[in-house]
Amino acid sequence: MADEILKVEHLNKFYGDWQALHDISFDLKKGEVVTLLGPSGSGKSTLIRTLNGLEPFKDGTISFKGQAIDPTIKNWQALRQEIGMVFQSYDLFPNLTVLDNILLAPTKVQKRPREEVKKEALELLERVHLADQVDSYPRQLSGGQKQRIAIVRALAMHPEVMLFDEVTASLDPEMVRGVLEIIKELSDRDHMTMIIVTHEMNFAAKIADKVLFLEDGRILEQTPGKQFFAHPQTERAQEFLSSMDF
Ligand code: ADP
Ligand code: MG
């Protein structure tokens, strides 16, 4: 289908002899937001990393815009330019200013003109309310500010899809909302296609078009967001939601 950006079919992923993902199939359409929920160790990060070309996989197919990805190529660079990713630990370069952190990949990897990218970087910083930090170094920023910069840095590559892996998990509570608001706005205003791993259930309920609920490397439920949060199908998902005070 033309509007499918990612299509995963019967994906199996092993770490050595041990199988971390079992027969994962789902698709992600343009503008859609999928949230990956599930207990710790259920394979959420493994799935996200595999989609981003950071992990090789054994069998099954991952297609990006209709093209199957070669599972033997690790760190597939072309793919990673089109799929932006933000992790739990903001991995900004400590020796570079905020601006240079943002400019690095678009100028070095994508070879775009510095002035053009800089103009865009300043607009993005404005949008995340950090224009005044353009010359700061990461150590001068709070965790929430660093995470907002990490989001801007990923957006500056013009990704087709954004992957977020527990981006607020290590933040102080008062920083969480500012980061989540930016992600929500990316969906509402830009219709950004996203896969989000989060433990913030109220946020997930607001943003998810579709929920994948994982346990032990398997998809237990694949349900429209509204339906999942109102009536999870499996007992396991019901337990999970109540353990999250939802
Ligand atoms: P989640 O993000 O849902 O907490 P992960 O994807 O991090 O889960 O982990 C899923 C399972 O894979 C866990 O049992 C974890 O210990 C294992 N695992 C994750 N990364 C590796 C790795 N690099 N090598 C071996 N096992 C791993
Ligand atoms: Mg994880």
Side-chain angles (χ1 to χ4, degrees):
M1 253 178 75
D3 66 346
E4 265 167 14
I5 292 200
L6 267 176
K7 188 170 183 64
V8 179
E9 293 164 288
H10 307 295
L11 174 69
N12 291 305
K13 155 82 190 158
F14 289 76
Y15 289 117
D17 289 339
W18 185 73
Q19 188 164 2
L21 295 176
H22 298 257
D23 197 26
I24 301 288
S25 298
F26 71 98
D27 54 40
L28 178 69
K29 296 187 174 58
K30 196 167 174 57
E32 194 174 36
V33 177
V34 167
T35 63
L36 291 185
L37 305 181
S40 176
S42 56
K44 305 178 298 294
S45 295
T46 299
L47 178 54
I48 288 256
R49 290 172 53 81
T50 306
L51 296 177
N52 197 26
L54 290 169
E55 293 282 351
F57 58 97
K58 182 140 183 256
D59 48 42
T61 325
I62 300 177
S63 308
F64 182 67
K65 294 196 284 187
Q67 263 203 325
I69 293 169
D70 182 343
T72 60
I73 301 174
K74 222 184 158 196
N75 297 340
W76 194 35
Q77 200 170 43
L79 172 73
R80 288 173 62 198
Q81 284 184 48
E82 295 197 69
I83 301 186
M85 175 151 178
V86 184
F87 301 84
Q88 176 174 342
S89 57
Y90 18 80
D91 51 343
L92 300 175
F93 296 106
N95 56 327
L96 297 180
T97 63
V98 162
L99 182 65
D100 286 333
N101 262 285
I102 300 167
L103 296 189
L104 189 66
T107 57
K108 290 278 190 299
V109 181
Q110 294 180 324
K111 313 268 187 239
R112 282 159 53 205
R114 187 180 162 91
E115 281 313 306
E116 172 199 306
V117 186
K118 183 174 170 183
K119 184 169 175 285
E120 194 186 322
L122 295 174
E123 286 165 10
L124 286 167
L125 285 171
E126 196 79 55
R127 212 175 137 175
V128 302
H129 317 296
L130 288 174
D132 55 337
Q133 302 293 343
V134 60
D135 296 318
S136 300
Y137 285 86
R139 66 172 177 278
Q140 298 170 297
L141 304 175
S142 71
Q145 289 175 322
K146 280 189 262 201
Q147 231 18 339
R148 275 139 68 194
I149 300 296
I151 294 171
V152 165
R153 188 175 58 168
L155 291 175
M157 296 287 279
H158 300 162
E160 192 87 36
V161 179
M162 286 283 285
L163 309 177
F164 294 94
D165 192 356
E166 297 202 35
V167 294
T168 59
S170 59
L171 299 182
D172 292 334
E174 72 268 24
M175 311 266 177
V176 169
R177 196 206 270 171
V179 173
L180 296 181
E181 274 171 1
I182 286 162
I183 300 173
K184 185 74 168 65
E185 195 189 83
L186 278 177
S187 172
D188 292 346
R189 190 172 119 181
D190 305 79
H191 310 291
M192 177 63 80
T193 311
M194 302 191 272
I195 300 181
I196 304 173
V197 179
T198 183
H199 288 304
E200 301 285 337
M201 288 306 119
N202 288 307
F203 169 69
K206 262 188 256 167
I207 200 167
D209 295 310
K210 182 160 79 186
V211 172
L212 303 188
F213 181 72
L214 273 79
E215 188 177 54
D216 298 334
R218 293 179 174 82
I219 297 179
L220 289 197
E221 282 197 40
Q222 179 162 182
T223 320
K226 277 204 177 66
Q227 190 182 327
F228 180 85
F229 288 99
H231 309 286
Q233 292 160 7
T234 59
E235 212 168 296
R236 193 61 197 89
Q238 287 166 17
E239 278 168 23
F240 175 79
L241 284 179
S242 45
S243 76
M244 306 297 282
D245 286 327
F246 187 84

